[in-house]
Amino acid sequence: LQFTCGCDARAAQAIFEGLGNLCGNQFPDQSRKTEDSCVQFSLLDESAKEKSAKSYKQFVLLCLDILNERKEPDVLQAVSRALPVIIMDLNKHSKQPAGLKYYLENIQSLNLQDRMLLSVNGNFFEQNKQIKDMEQIFASPIHGLRLDLKLQSNQTSRFVSVLKNVHSLRALYLSGRGHFFSSLTPSSVRPLVQGFIHMPLLEELDLSWNPALLDAGMEVLHAGLSSVPHLAVLRLSYDA
């Protein structure tokens, strides 16, 4: 598919029309196009739902790969129609950030997806590369983007500087579960709290499994909560 799309723009557009139809049929949990398709999805067992979610992530990567091959307006619009939600892991060998950057820079705000979910994980060196990708993707303000961001990193000052250009951040997940090396501390949570002023629409914040925060970190956090008036969910649990 990538080869075909790279050869001809009309072929790319036709393929995306097919991919859009495929998305509606195969991923009803993401597209929500019809009541019947949603009911059918709800009847699947958990393993089938997990498989569907994994397949949809691969589907997103395929679309962004093709867009990276054919950076053209018609293909851009076809991607927008094919992807009701963008879900993406910024992993070490990913080429898709270039396609995503082009997409966000050129798509009109009226055609943006309802939500985009990005995940940054891996070891310290992989995270450095992924945060650099984020700095490029969000180099300029993107209005209307409802972003859910999952991070396994204590480099708060770096990613908060990136989030200044995402004024509609909806959810931020900074759980340290399974990643003790990236646990937040009172000093690393301070830049996050100072950055709350740039996240006025934040609805959900997950700081669970960060035992190093201690009471001092809770005091720092409490001082900044007034800057996120729409916050409805705050997770702070830690089970030793």
Side-chain angles (χ1 to χ4, degrees), residues 21-177:
N21 293 332
L22 176 67
C23 179
N25 293 328
Q26 296 297 317
F27 308 114
D29 55 319
Q30 306 295 346
S31 56
R32 307 284 184 188
K33 287 191 175 180
T34 67
E35 183 177 353
D36 288 342
S37 64
C38 292
V39 170
Q40 290 172 5
F41 179 78
S42 66
L43 296 176
L44 297 176
D45 59 34
E46 290 303 316
S47 62
K49 290 180 180 179
E50 184 177 346
K51 183 178 179 181
S52 175
K54 183 177 180 180
S55 296
Y56 184 77
K57 286 184 178 181
Q58 294 172 332
F59 179 77
V60 171
L61 297 182
L62 170 63
C63 291
L64 292 176
D65 268 336
I66 295 173
L67 179 61
N68 199 35
E69 292 286 337
R70 303 292 309 192
K71 294 185 175 74
E72 299 176 0
D74 290 342
V75 178
L76 179 71
Q77 293 300 324
V79 170
S80 178
R81 292 191 295 269
L83 296 179
V85 178
I86 293 179
I87 304 176
M88 183 176 171
D89 298 326
L90 292 177
N91 54 57
K92 182 178 179 181
H93 302 292
S94 176
K95 296 179 181 178
Q96 290 79 17
L100 181 59
K101 176 178 172 61
Y102 173 81
Y103 180 87
L104 293 175
E105 286 177 345
N106 292 277
I107 196 70
Q108 297 297 315
S109 59
L110 292 177
N111 295 323
L112 268 175
Q113 281 74 10
D114 292 335
R115 287 174 66 189
M116 185 169 80
L117 291 79
L118 288 183
S119 176
V120 175
N121 50 49
N123 61 40
F124 177 81
F125 298 103
E126 291 171 342
Q127 289 180 12
N128 270 335
K129 191 267 182 187
Q130 293 157 7
I131 292 178
K132 286 181 180 177
D133 287 338
M134 287 180 55
E135 290 171 342
Q136 293 179 0
I137 292 170
F138 303 117
S140 57
I142 301 174
H143 301 287
L145 177 64
R146 299 294 282 150
L147 176 66
D148 288 14
L149 185 60
K150 181 179 180 181
L151 295 159
Q152 292 169 350
S153 172
N154 55 14
Q155 300 182 58
T156 50
S157 59
R158 287 189 64 188
F159 70 73
V160 166
S161 67
V162 174
L163 297 178
K164 290 179 180 179
N165 287 327
V166 187
H167 300 150
S168 299
L169 182 70
R170 193 202 72 85
L172 182 59
Y173 304 100
L174 290 166
S175 174
R177 184 165 189 167

